[in-house]
Amino acid sequence: MNLRQLTYAVAVAEEENFTRAAERCHTVQSALSHQVARLESELGVQLFERTSRRVRLTPAGRTFLIHARQVLDATRRLEDEVAASSGVIRGTLSIGTISTLTGVDLVELLAEYQGLHPQVDVQIRMGMSDRMLDELREQSTDVAFLGLWPGEDVAGVEARLLCDERLMAVLPLGHPLAAAEALTLAQLAAYPLVDFHGGTGPRRQTDEAFAAAGVQRRVQYEVSHVDLIKAIARRGLALGLVPAASAVEFRDQGLAVVRVRDAPRRRVYFAWGRHPTPAAAAFQALVLARLDAIAPVADPVDG
């Protein structure tokens, strides 16, 4: 058994196809198939069920995949740690972020980071905070920018608060409530609303706020990205709630932004795992240095 065989077998498992796995590993299919067959022979088990349409893992293959990934990850980590000891940061950096990130300019951070560490392969994924928090704990994501409501648990990871802000209402300019100085959740609930999908962190946040106010509402549209909230509100299909810093940008894009007296709040965090890779540790150091140079922002348009 060798690392090349493990790499080939993991590629087949993830691609569910020998041809795509060979392309990914930059080899010919016959060579890859031969090495996988040798691995199965050495282990004494069949790792894959092969059909004319698809390749699937057997029960033994699923067990193999878990441990093969651990071996390959440990090997890459060893190589990266040795390189870092001589001053070279390389490897992969996986960054998760919410679509309504405030408190930092992620693009500027990335530009500076890549200038300092050009050998690092940076991967960015947008997602929901609760899922990204789990990925940090599982070490499948290196760092993440999260939006959580006050009191939400961040145990199992390290985190730094970026800002604490309330949500604000966004409405089309011609809406009857658009000229109000401030609104209540009860006033918003009289109209169709747009919000994130049920069960997500942002949705639980607003659900709890309306429930605490004793108000029932109708969520007409469920979305997964803040840009859809903006587009739906601009067309007058529904009203939305977005973080205060994001609302400032919406105001410049043809939408009315109104303070909500009993609005929910959210906290934005930069979070990282407790055993960072050299690439993750370098990004963490950069972000924390930038945060130390600026004052925390809270309610940038409050009042």
Side-chain angles (χ1 to χ4, degrees):
M1 187 186 308
N2 56 55
L3 293 175
R4 181 174 61 175
Q5 291 172 333
L6 297 183
T7 300
Y8 287 176
V10 169
V12 173
E14 292 177 348
E15 299 292 339
E16 297 184 338
N17 182 281
F18 276 85
T19 300
R20 290 195 298 270
E23 293 173 352
R24 168 173 152 179
C25 296
H26 307 291
T27 188
V28 296
Q29 182 178 335
S30 59
L32 181 140
S33 298
H34 177 67
Q35 290 298 327
V36 171
R38 287 188 59 182
L39 178 62
E40 289 179 316
S41 177
E42 182 173 346
L43 292 173
V45 296
Q46 183 178 350
L47 299 176
F48 302 100
E49 295 176 354
R50 301 160 173 84
T51 68
S52 58
R53 294 185 176 182
R54 193 173 180 183
V55 177
R56 294 186 179 182
L57 286 166
T58 63
R62 288 192 290 271
T63 299
F64 162 85
L65 181 61
I66 294 171
H67 297 287
R69 282 173 170 163
Q70 292 174 346
V71 171
L72 294 175
D73 287 345
T75 301
R76 285 189 289 267
R77 178 68 176 262
L78 174 61
E79 294 170 346
D80 294 344
E81 293 282 1
V82 171
S85 69
S86 61
V88 178
I89 304 298
R90 66 184 192 188
T92 300
L93 174 65
S94 173
I95 302 174
T97 182
I98 53 176
S99 61
T100 55
L101 177 61
T102 55
V104 295
D105 187 329
L106 180 56
V107 174
E108 288 301 317
L109 284 171
L110 290 175
E112 184 173 358
Y113 180 79
Q114 292 275 238
L116 294 170
H117 309 296
Q119 295 188 47
V120 176
D121 178 20
V122 179
Q123 302 170 355
I124 302 177
R125 186 182 68 81
M126 278 190 185
M128 293 297 176
S129 296
D130 44 359
R131 179 58 191 147
M132 289 190 290
L133 195 52
D134 288 339
E135 291 172 351
L136 285 173
R137 292 167 178 150
E138 297 163 359
Q139 300 184 61
S140 57
T141 293
D142 293 313
V143 300
F145 296 93
L146 312 170
L148 307 173
W149 66 85
E152 187 173 1
D153 186 17
V154 291
V157 302
E158 303 295 331
R160 173 79 174 266
L161 180 66
L162 301 183
C163 61
D164 185 339
E165 59 186 349
R166 70 177 61 197
L167 303 190
M168 301 186 73
V170 289
L171 314 87
L173 291 176
H175 194 277
L177 300 180
E181 179 181 347
L183 297 169
T184 65
L185 293 178
Q187 287 175 290
L188 293 177
Y191 298 90
L193 297 173
V194 54
D195 206 338
F196 288 94
H197 288 287
T200 61
R203 176 62 176 274
R204 289 198 300 271
Q205 180 186 50
T206 51
D207 283 346
E208 290 180 4
F210 277 91
V215 176
Q216 290 188 340
R217 61 168 178 161
R218 178 166 65 93
V219 178
Q220 180 75 29
Y221 301 98
E222 293 187 327
V223 301
S224 58
H225 197 284
V226 69
D227 283 349
L228 283 171
I229 294 179
K230 175 176 64 177
I232 288 171
R234 183 186 291 125
R235 292 300 301 269
L237 299 173
L239 312 184
L241 286 164
V242 297
S246 299
V248 172
E249 299 176 4
F250 283 28
R251 182 176 287 156
D252 296 332
Q253 298 172 13
L255 284 164
V257 177
V258 182
R259 183 167 60 91
V260 180
R261 293 190 180 93
D262 47 356
R265 305 184 69 90
R266 76 153 187 182
R267 290 175 177 169
V268 180
Y269 292 91
F270 171 59
W272 61 94
R274 291 179 171 173
H275 305 286
T277 64
F283 185 77
Q284 170 195 333
L286 175 63
V287 174
L288 295 183
R290 295 297 164 269
L291 294 179
D292 288 339
I294 61 175
V297 178
D299 273 349
V301 293
D302 191 13

